[in-house]
Amino acid sequence: MQRLAAIKGMNDILPPDSACWEWLEAVVRSLMQRYAYRAIRTPIVESTALFVRGLGEVTDIVEKEMYSFEDRLNGEQLTLRPEATAGVVRAAVEHSLLHDGGKRLYYMGPMFRHERPQRGRYRQFHQIGVEALGFAGAELDAEVILLAHALWAELGLAHVRLELNSLGQPEERKAHRAALIAYFEQHKDLLDEDARRRLYSNPLRILDTKNPVMQAMVEAAPQLMDYLGDASRGHLQAVQRILDAAGVAWRINPRLVRGMDYYNLTVFEFVTDQLGSQGTICGGGRYDYLIGQMGGKAAPAVGWALGVERVLELLKEQELAVPAVVPDAYAVVPDAHALPVAMATLQQLRAQGIAVQMHSAAGSAQGMGSMKAQFKKADASGARYALVFGVDELQAGMVSVKPLRDAGEQVQRPLTEAALWAASLQSAR
Ligand code: ATP
Ligand code: MG
């Protein structure tokens, strides 16, 4: 029989690693709540046209990274979402979310791109993102940047720098585009296949190349910043002033153009040097034309997405401790006859918010295993207390509570009044 295995580039997230994911998600939820961003969940499968129209035909994602397929039953062209902004905008338009003003939204979930799997680059990966829809002001660009900055701080991450650029407005890009094409034509010998193909269809994309051979040439290309008018420059400066006041350092990266076509004005990335070539942990920007392009009433927007795997890898790289998940107590049950009473008591404790891990004998229905083996498991669980449901205790209507981590006394507690002593088991969490 063929060995069954996960698809290449798509990973299982197993304990204890899954605890890091849940911790990160909890920090994010708490932060989103403080910034008044509300959750949105959109489908993982969308029609292919949504991404072609939303992200732009001449982009890495649409040209070569999408998992697209035909619905076998009705022939519809479908795609596993490679990113979430297009879906969020579709949902906002479909449900008239902006009818009573702007909306601040966030999401978390899996995305799919057919890339060469390597550290920090997977085929199923996870993003957390925010979208502030319906707001034109630079303060919203700053707000989403400050939110991301606060997240790094709460996670304890260091050495993450903010790079900013402005893509201006479409009419400003036209003049730059002509200059860019002229420049690239002069350096045609250095252009790789992708770049040659995009020379006339999407020359800005060439600036986003990862090809080392092209770096120096691209570095010296005409800069969009030099083609921006006062309004675009003013918008960027307004963002910078807010960041400065909040003590958030930034630097301009004139080559920062992002991978999708929908951006205008502010674009930004949070970058680290500690993850090799997959150093961008978060990217975003303003996309004032996408909502209109998706058939909605024109409305401005700004957002970002971070790569969960890259953030977690950076946490690991910086050896930051993620709070361990351990039960408060471990139930030791010397004799299987005590199971009904023990489990009824545990049920009460858990209803009081106590985390209790029940002992169970591995792979056998006979007996619970020796006390020694059970205490060994109790110790390994990390629990602060063992609850011992011994025969003598049960006859007295009691359970023994034995401290496992510190020197305290073993005490007995009444089985029927678990609610009264449950709180004494609570570890400082
Ligand atoms: P890259 O330049 O590294 O390919 P990107 O510009 O394609 O990134 P975005 O589309 O902006 O990435 O997605 C936002 C974030 O999602 C990235 O900054 C990164 O952290 C993460 N990300 C993107 N693609 C992947 C992937 N294949 N595997 C893991 N994380 C990813
Ligand atoms: Mg990419």
Side-chain angles (χ1 to χ4, degrees), residues 61 65 82-83 113 115 120-127 208 210 258-260 263 269-270 277-284 305-311:
I61 294 181
E65 295 175 358
E83 57 96 66
R113 296 184 194 177
E115 304 196 67
R121 195 174 291 286
Y122 310 99
R123 290 181 175 174
Q124 173 172 336
F125 64 101
H126 297 76
Q127 285 185 338
D208 198 32
K210 294 189 171 71
R258 311 278 305 123
M260 301 79 158
Y263 291 107
E269 287 185 352
F270 286 93
S277 47
Q278 271 60 251
T280 303
I281 60 171
C282 176
L306 66 80
V308 174
E309 284 84 356
R310 291 188 194 176
V311 168

Side-chain angles (χ1 to χ4, degrees), residues 192-399:
D192 61 15
E193 199 192 309
D194 265 353
R196 276 173 204 227
R197 194 161 34 79
R198 292 168 174 183
L199 179 52
Y200 302 104
S201 56
N202 200 344
L204 199 64
R205 255 317 47 83
I206 299 175
L207 297 176
D208 198 32
T209 181
K210 294 189 171 71
N211 185 348
V213 178
M214 292 169 56
Q215 293 306 312
M217 181 272 292
V218 154
E219 210 72 58
Q223 299 191 355
L224 182 49
M225 200 66 94
D226 298 330
Y227 293 78
L228 300 188
D230 289 346
S232 292
R233 282 169 196 271
H235 188 95
L236 183 61
Q237 283 158 3
V239 176
Q240 290 165 340
R241 273 197 298 275
I242 297 172
L243 296 178
D244 288 343
V248 174
W250 50 267
R251 54 162 246 204
I252 294 291
N253 173 0
R255 273 197 54 203
L256 178 54
V257 292
R258 311 278 305 123
M260 301 79 158
D261 284 351
Y262 50 61
Y263 291 107
N264 69 303
L265 291 176
T266 319
V267 287
F268 56 87
E269 287 185 352
F270 286 93
V271 188
T272 172
D273 294 326
Q274 297 181 325
L275 291 177
S277 47
Q278 271 60 251
T280 303
I281 60 171
C282 176
R286 185 161 271 289
Y287 50 97
D288 293 333
Y289 303 100
L290 185 61
I291 297 175
Q293 213 175 297
M294 293 284 189
K297 187 166 157 251
V302 58
W304 53 249
L306 66 80
V308 174
E309 284 84 356
R310 291 188 194 176
V311 168
L312 291 174
E313 276 158 40
L314 189 57
L315 280 162
K316 211 174 259 177
E317 193 64 38
Q318 299 184 2
E319 293 174 12
L320 294 166
V322 170
V325 182
V326 295
D328 298 312
Y330 189 99
V332 169
V333 186
D335 187 307
H337 288 113
L339 281 171
V341 173
M343 290 184 75
T345 309
L346 302 191
Q347 199 70 351
Q348 289 185 53
L349 290 172
R350 290 168 180 148
Q352 297 295 318
I354 305 303
V356 196
Q357 183 171 336
M358 170 71 194
H359 178 75
S360 49
S364 112
Q366 286 132 39
M368 299 296 289
S370 70
M371 287 280 271
K372 192 173 161 215
Q374 292 198 37
F375 271 106
K376 210 169 149 189
K377 284 267 176 65
D379 219 36
S381 76
R384 211 147 126 228
Y385 298 98
L387 302 174
V388 188
F389 293 90
V391 178
D392 295 347
E393 283 99 332
L394 256 54
Q395 266 168 5
M398 305 294 265
V399 55

